Every structure is written in structure tokens, then in C-alpha cells.
Amino acid sequence: LKCSKMAEPTFQTVLEAAERIKGLVKRTPVETCQTLDFMSGNKLFFKCENFQKIGAFKFRGACNAVFKLEESVAQRGVVTHSSGNHAQALALAAQMRGIPAHIVMPSTSSVVKKRGVLGYGGNVIECIPTLEARETTAAEVVARTGGVFIAPFDHIDVISGQGTLALELIQEVGELDILIAPVGGGGMLSGVALAAKGLLPNIRVVGAEPKGADDAYRSKQQNEFIPQTAPNTVADGLLTSMGTLTWPIIRDVVDEIVTVTDEEIISAMRLIWERMKLVVEPSGATSLAVALQDSFKQRFQGKRVGIVFSGGNVDLDKLPWVKQSAELK
């Protein structure tokens, strides 16, 4: 399912997205924490997308894609395949515009995620849990409904929408030396990089990636696209390979990718909960994990650093620092 017009996202498309989604998405707060400043040796500014509608940044991209559609096209509805936040984001954006959303979800998706999509008026079509099944089922739905396929991250309007969070952050706190954002499929990191460099050409944009899903890190090291195989990490929002639109931006615009262990991610997440009283999921905590890494602190001290908390959709029955064992029963 390729988009017919493979135009590329730019700083300009991010600015246009910001205008389009103003008043539809939440302008999320920027928080600070003296304890974490002290621990990192830098001044940290946290962009809290855990407070975004549906609990994650993905609503920005979905909203931009849905509200950009021409009226005649929009009435046929939108289609995607996703087991995660993009599914709920697209369903809500479609509901706000008053058009149908057809969401192909693997049969293994959590009940909570399915309920979320249905709660936003989405139509859930289940398929067997393989990427091939997801794609063929989505293609069948597009053929049947005439709906527009909106990819979870490899889509110009989605990337541009995600980039708006960096515009807001920099407009609010001013000059930043470094911006750290998590990377999975790269929709957010690529949009954020275009936005940040558009406003601050000298800013250093850093992708935060789990060691157990380090395709962006390896691709960047070798300067060629290396797909993700058998990812294994607590950061379940960062398991995907980059896309044909996101990889070139990450290759050419992002300064570096830094990897962190699951232990570092869980430790950062726990600090956020304990010290900042914020519900942030493991994927969202990877960016702070980078800022707290010794090798990062040895290179950067006394800098103004933006940190993206990408979302807060956590299964409260499975918090990573709680031992999931029989004695708890």
C-alpha cells in the first residue's frame, strides 16, 4: 500500500500541519525537574505528550492526515493497520471529522486497545497477527470502501503532524542545544528533526533507541538501511523498522542515535513516576534514559536539552519494576 504521491515532508509541511491542527490537538505542557537536572548535569525541558489526546503524540499525525483530506475523498473514510496508538489516534481524528475509520488489528491486540478504537467509533477488522495479513486485509478494505490508507508513520502528513510537538516546545522554552526523542518507525523523530532544525539550525537532534531494537542505530552507523529483525525490548512502542520516508530524514538530518538498555529505560521510567509524578510508558522514558547515560553526560554538561515523553499508555497491571511472580497472587 504505497501512497500515490510520495512527496517528502519538510519544515514547511510541519508549519502547515501546525496551522491545520491548532485547536484540535492539545498543546501539551512542558515540565522541568531539578532532581533530574542535577542527575544529568544539564537543564532538561520535558515535552509531555503523555497528556496528548489518546495518551500519545500519534494523535498529531493522524489528525493532520485526516483534516488535510479533500471533503469528497474524506467521506469515503480512512483505513489503517495498527495494533497500537495509531489505531486509536486515527479513529478519534476520523470521529472528530465525522467520517468512517476502518482499523485492521491483529487478533492478538490487547482488549484495551480494541475497546479504545471502538470507543472512538472506529470499525475494527481483525486479522491473523502477521504483517502480510495486516497489509492484505487493509488493501481489501481500501478496495471495498474506497477509503484512504493512512500509514502509521511512513506518511508525509503523519510525519509533519508529529513534528508540531517540537515547534511547540521550542516556541515555549526558546533556544535549545539538544533535543532527544525516541525512535521506532521514525515518524516522530523525523518530523521533530525537520521542525527543530527549521527553527534552530545548530540544534543537535538525538534519537533514543532500545538496544534490543537498534535498527536505526545500526543503519546510521553503516549509512544504509538495515531492517529490524526479532526486536526484544520493554519499550513496546519502538519495535518497528524505519520507513522509506523516515529513514532518509534520520540519515541526513538527525545527528546521532544513542542506544539504551532495558534496565536503563525502566530506571528512567521509575524516576519519572517517582520524582515528576508523571505516567510515562517505557518507550517515552527512553529519551530520559539517554540523558542520564554516563557516556552522554561526559560529552554534554550545562546544556539546555529538550526531552520528548512520547506517551503514557501503560498497562498498570504489568509495571516493569513490579516482579510478575506467583507470590503476588
Side-chain angles (χ1 to χ4, degrees):
L1 289 164
K2 292 283 171 276
C3 312
S4 49
K5 299 197 293 285
M6 286 302 261
E8 286 170 17
T10 60
F11 179 49
Q12 189 54 41
T13 65
V14 178
L15 293 175
E16 288 161 11
E19 269 315 299
R20 190 175 294 116
I21 66 181
K22 196 185 283 178
L24 297 168
V25 304
K26 274 189 189 168
R27 191 179 174 98
T28 53
V30 177
E31 296 289 341
T32 56
C33 177
Q34 284 186 311
T35 305
L36 295 176
D37 285 356
F38 177 74
M39 289 175 70
S40 68
N42 292 298
K43 180 78 190 126
L44 308 179
F45 299 91
F46 300 95
K47 181 62 169 164
C48 297
E49 287 293 295
N50 51 312
F51 290 124
Q52 189 51 263
K53 289 178 184 175
I54 74 118
F57 72 91
K58 283 189 180 273
F59 181 64
R60 292 175 182 271
C63 190
N64 185 47
V66 164
F67 279 84
K68 191 180 170 192
L69 295 172
E70 307 263 331
E71 191 57 38
S72 57
V73 177
Q75 288 315 314
R76 301 201 298 263
V78 286
V79 182
T80 199
H81 57 77
S82 166
S83 56
N85 293 330
H86 179 66
Q88 295 185 59
L90 195 67
L92 176 57
Q95 185 184 55
M96 286 167 70
R97 183 148 184 196
I99 63 172
H102 308 284
I103 315 287
V104 175
M105 300 184 84
S107 51
T108 48
S109 303
S110 75
V111 179
V112 177
K113 293 262 166 71
K114 279 181 208 161
R115 224 182 274 143
V117 172
L118 294 166
Y120 294 129
N123 170 32
V124 173
I125 300 113
E126 291 199 13
C127 68
I128 57 172
T130 66
L131 181 60
E132 190 187 6
R134 281 164 61 149
E135 289 179 341
T136 51
T137 309
E140 283 160 17
V141 176
V142 166
R144 190 180 78 239
T145 62
V148 181
F149 182 73
I150 310 277
F153 54 86
D154 212 33
H155 186 292
I156 177 173
D157 302 329
V158 171
I159 293 169
S160 304
Q162 319 306 27
T164 60
L165 71 90
L167 294 181
E168 290 177 5
L169 171 62
I170 293 165
Q171 282 160 5
E172 186 156 332
V173 305
E175 198 76 28
L176 285 173
D177 301 301
I178 303 168
L179 182 53
I180 308 175
V183 56
M188 192 244 288
L189 179 60
S190 54
V192 157
L194 292 170
K197 298 266 187 183
L199 291 176
L200 303 169
N202 295 324
I203 194 171
R204 184 173 188 82
V205 177
V206 177
E209 189 171 48
K211 277 200 187 342
D214 66 346
D215 58 310
Y217 172 77
R218 287 181 297 125
S219 300
K220 198 102 167 102
Q221 293 298 98
Q222 300 188 23
N223 207 32
E224 65 169 327
F225 177 74
I226 298 170
Q228 182 68 269
T229 50
N232 179 18
T233 171
V234 67
D236 58 356
L238 306 178
L239 301 176
T240 344
S241 283
M242 295 173 292
T244 47
L245 288 176
T246 60
W247 159 239
I249 300 170
I250 290 169
R251 181 190 62 207
D252 301 339
V253 184
V254 173
D255 293 282
E256 68 171 325
I257 308 287
V258 176
T259 59
V260 282
T261 64
D262 274 15
E263 291 69 36
E264 289 171 317
I265 293 169
I266 293 166
S267 157
M269 176 176 165
R270 187 170 179 143
L271 277 169
I272 296 162
W273 282 54
E274 246 171 27
R275 300 303 172 106
M276 298 185 75
K277 320 299 176 200
L278 293 175
V279 175
V280 171
E281 64 192 270
S283 303
T286 51
S287 42
L288 175 62
V290 167
L292 295 176
Q293 225 180 30
D294 285 340
S295 55
F296 186 86
K297 294 193 287 190
Q298 281 156 12
R299 290 190 294 151
F300 305 109
Q301 285 291 287
K303 303 287 185 200
R304 290 169 61 86
V305 182
I307 304 261
V308 179
F309 286 160
S310 50
N313 293 326
V314 185
D315 183 342
L316 295 179
D317 293 322
K318 294 189 181 145
L319 292 175
W321 51 79
V322 178
K323 291 281 172 283
Q324 302 293 325
S325 58
E327 64 262 23
L328 290 178
K329 300 278 186 289

